[in-house]
Amino acid sequence: MAVIQFWLAHRAEVLALLGQHLLLAGVATLVATAIGVPLGIAAAHRPRLGAPLVGLANVVQTIPSLAMFGFLLPLPVLGGIGPRTAIVALTLYALLPIVRTTITGITGIDRTVRDAGIALGMTPRQLLWQVELPLAVPAIVSGVRIAAVVAVGAATIAAAVGAGGLGEYIYRGLAMVDTTVILAGAIPAALLALVVDGALWLAQWRLQRRERRRMRRRTLIVGGVLLVLGLAAWAIVASRAGAEIVVGSKNFGEQLVLGEIVAQALEREGLRVRRQLNLGGTLICDRALLAGDIDVYVEYTGTALTAVFNKPIGASRDAVTATVREAYARTGRTLLAPLGFDNTFAMLVRGADARARGLRTIEDAARESPRWRAAFGYEFLDRPDGFTGLARAYGITLAEPPRAMDLSLTYRALAAGQADLIAGDATSGLIRALDLVALEDTRHYFPPYDAVPVARADTLLREPRMRAALDRLAGRITAAHMREMNYRAEALRQPPADVARDFLAGRIAVP
């Protein structure tokens, strides 16, 4: 019932995301068909080419989708943030079934049929168009059907690079730990896959009864549709690239709120803004800013120091800020004035455990840790300022290796007793909502993590009003403000856009 109410309340957005999902999967399938069928034909007639071709397609199929985006993002022309990268990745995934079924369809034709065509004086081209392809069509359509279902399912991951689609709800739900929002994207995506599979099965069934002479006309129609859709997709992408300012954010609740605050502050200045929120982790946002796919997002100075520029951990706030500012300036980016709060890592335990065992600092937790299980976000396990250094600094040993999971889900895992120690955000609203306690970092292991907008220098020069709008946010967001906003977004499930609007209007009061 909650999912239905959500769909009704957001019906315009649901339809828009559904359309984007269909466009991504449809264009990828058509492009894969246009590439895969000729490759399959060539491979069927030249077995020496077929084996390595199918092997290469198999290798592509085994690459995890997030890793594929990581490879594609920095590439010129094919990469970048948005639907282009998603379509390339989905096309690569859809190639294997089409190539393989095309080879099977052609090589499976009875040799006597082919010999009869040759005996009638057919040229190789006539043999292909009038004999082989008509007989191989059912197998080819079967491959297209598999490829389309794969594309519809895999298109949910496209939201990781800002390509839109129903995956946006899934990512947003994970970031806000909201099952209703996750289902709002997952259910239509699954239904869409079933509908596509059924429609293509029907097409396959009908094709088996069509006569050979319609083959050429059908090819022309498919080619025309492919051309029109390709031009339409290109026009959509091109129309979205203009003088607008693109605001990005990472994929957790606080970043969605901050992204909305930045976007709405720019809109109040009269600037045209496009949102590319919920993009992914630090790497994706940094690459997107560097490549010009986004113009601004909010980063944390400690994260930029260690994870972006691979500098050693520094404890001095001024030294960290100066180092990061200089590093950004060398790459054509500008570190603007801090927003006003420090979102340092917070080592969290359950409130009941803290009160019962007198846990106040990370040193207290280190004494208990040999009996504990820990769960951390992926970045915290790998970062220079992450778990390895923390364990060394405080002498933390655990009962078993820490479990890696989505950062947003670690809070629930701790509250449910599935973990005893997690690394969260000091300003998370779930600390209050789930009765968690942040342990004091008495040895000052973590560097400062001041929240700061980072923008492309050329965009700031082009739009002076952008700097003015962002400067007006400097120092306005205190840690108490951020905790309250996160609490509203993560615990009360208020939309980040509404929370940001209330903040900018001065309607969020803190003690």
Side-chain angles (χ1 to χ4, degrees):
M1 182 60 75
V3 176
I4 296 174
Q5 290 174 343
F6 180 91
W7 285 333
L8 292 175
H10 301 80
R11 52 186 176 276
E13 185 181 44
V14 170
L15 289 175
L17 294 179
L18 182 63
Q20 291 173 357
H21 202 96
L22 274 172
L23 184 65
L24 288 172
V27 172
T29 303
L30 288 171
V31 173
T33 304
I35 297 172
V37 171
L39 285 179
I41 293 171
H45 288 98
R46 294 176 174 80
R48 288 185 179 179
L49 173 67
L53 191 62
V54 172
L56 182 62
N58 269 321
V59 170
V60 170
Q61 197 83 11
T62 62
I63 299 174
S65 50
L66 283 177
M68 178 74 80
F69 287 144
F71 296 140
L72 291 174
L73 274 176
L75 295 181
V77 183
L78 296 179
I81 294 296
R84 184 175 59 239
T85 301
I87 288 173
V88 172
L90 294 176
T91 300
L92 291 173
Y93 285 130
L95 272 178
L96 178 62
I98 296 175
V99 171
R100 181 168 282 174
T101 54
T102 302
I103 295 173
T104 303
I106 291 181
T107 56
I109 296 172
D110 194 327
R111 185 172 182 79
T112 57
V113 175
R114 192 178 283 110
D115 289 343
I118 295 172
L120 290 172
M122 287 185 172
T123 65
R125 178 185 291 272
Q126 290 173 325
L127 194 64
L128 173 66
W129 284 99
Q130 297 180 25
V131 177
E132 293 178 338
L133 277 180
L135 293 175
V137 161
I140 295 172
V141 173
S142 173
V144 174
R145 177 181 162 195
I146 296 170
V149 174
V150 168
V152 170
T156 53
I157 203 76
V161 290
L166 294 167
E168 275 205 18
Y169 280 148
I170 298 174
Y171 277 88
R172 195 184 303 172
L174 288 171
M176 299 170 65
V177 199
D178 190 332
T179 308
T180 301
V181 180
I182 295 172
L183 290 174
I187 291 175
L191 292 176
L192 189 59
L194 292 174
V195 169
V196 168
D197 186 47
L200 288 175
W201 174 85
L202 184 61
Q204 183 182 359
W205 180 77
R206 288 184 174 177
L207 278 173
Q208 288 173 333
R209 285 159 174 75
R210 288 187 178 181
E211 297 180 6
R212 189 185 311 168
R213 64 176 180 270
R214 297 184 178 178
M215 182 63 192
R216 289 185 178 177
R217 188 170 60 186
R218 188 185 313 123
T219 303
L220 290 174
I221 292 173
V222 170
V225 171
L226 174 62
L227 181 62
V228 170
L229 286 178
L231 291 174
W234 182 258
I236 290 172
V237 173
S239 67
R240 295 174 69 178
E244 59 194 5
I245 293 173
V246 185
V247 178
S249 84
K250 302 183 192 180
N251 59 345
F252 56 91
E254 178 172 300
Q255 278 279 315
L256 298 181
V257 174
L258 291 174
E260 276 293 341
I261 288 176
V262 169
Q264 292 182 25
L266 296 176
E267 287 171 340
R268 286 180 169 211
E269 201 66 29
L271 295 167
R272 200 154 65 90
V273 173
R274 178 159 59 90
R275 292 163 174 77
Q276 286 281 25
L277 308 182
N278 212 13
L279 281 176
T282 300
L283 175 66
I284 290 180
C285 286
D286 182 69
R287 293 282 176 82
L289 187 67
L290 192 62
D293 292 317
I294 62 175
D295 294 303
V296 60
Y297 81 102
V298 176
E299 187 52 275
Y300 306 96
T301 52
T303 302
L305 180 79
T306 57
V308 176
F309 298 113
N310 299 314
K311 302 286 186 184
I313 298 174
S316 163
R317 171 167 278 102
D318 291 341
V320 169
T321 302
T323 303
V324 171
R325 175 170 285 117
E326 183 181 347
Y328 274 127
R330 283 200 297 267
T331 55
R333 296 173 289 180
T334 301
L335 189 75
L336 296 164
L339 296 176
F341 70 94
D342 175 6
N343 185 11
T344 184
F345 276 112
M347 303 309 297
L348 301 173
V349 296
R350 284 180 291 276
D353 290 346
R355 290 186 289 273
R357 301 174 186 175
L359 304 177
R360 191 182 59 80
T361 68
I362 300 177
E363 288 175 313
D364 297 335
R367 290 196 299 272
E368 303 284 341
S369 63
R371 298 188 296 275
W372 281 1
R373 296 165 300 165
F376 300 129
Y378 297 102
E379 285 194 13
F380 188 74
L381 283 173
D382 297 329
R383 294 166 55 135
D385 55 341
F387 175 68
T388 303
L390 179 76
R392 192 164 48 243
Y394 280 95
I396 294 174
T397 56
L398 296 167
E400 57 187 58
R403 179 171 299 177
M405 57 191 300
D406 185 271
L407 174 63
S408 304
L409 299 179
T410 59
Y411 296 90
R412 303 284 178 183
L414 177 62
Q418 296 167 356
D420 303 300
L421 179 71
I422 67 169
D425 297 321
T427 54
S428 173
L430 293 177
I431 296 176
R432 170 182 162 194
L434 299 176
D435 186 27
L436 308 180
V437 168
L439 302 171
E440 187 179 347
D441 178 17
T442 52
R443 298 183 184 178
H444 304 290
Y445 167 74
F446 293 116
Y449 296 89
D450 292 321
V452 186
V454 187
R456 288 184 60 83
D458 54 354
T459 310
L460 289 171
L461 289 173
R462 191 187 74 217
E463 286 290 358
R465 289 178 295 169
M466 178 180 174
R467 179 185 281 276
L470 296 175
D471 282 347
R472 272 194 282 279
L473 292 176
R476 279 190 62 188
I477 306 177
T478 65
H481 276 117
M482 199 66 247
R483 276 194 289 271
E484 176 63 23
M485 288 191 283
N486 284 337
Y487 177 73
R488 293 187 182 199
E490 295 170 345
L492 303 183
R493 311 289 170 81
Q494 294 180 5
D498 293 350
V499 176
R501 192 173 299 109
D502 285 346
F503 170 76
L504 291 173
R507 291 194 291 266
I508 291 185
V510 294

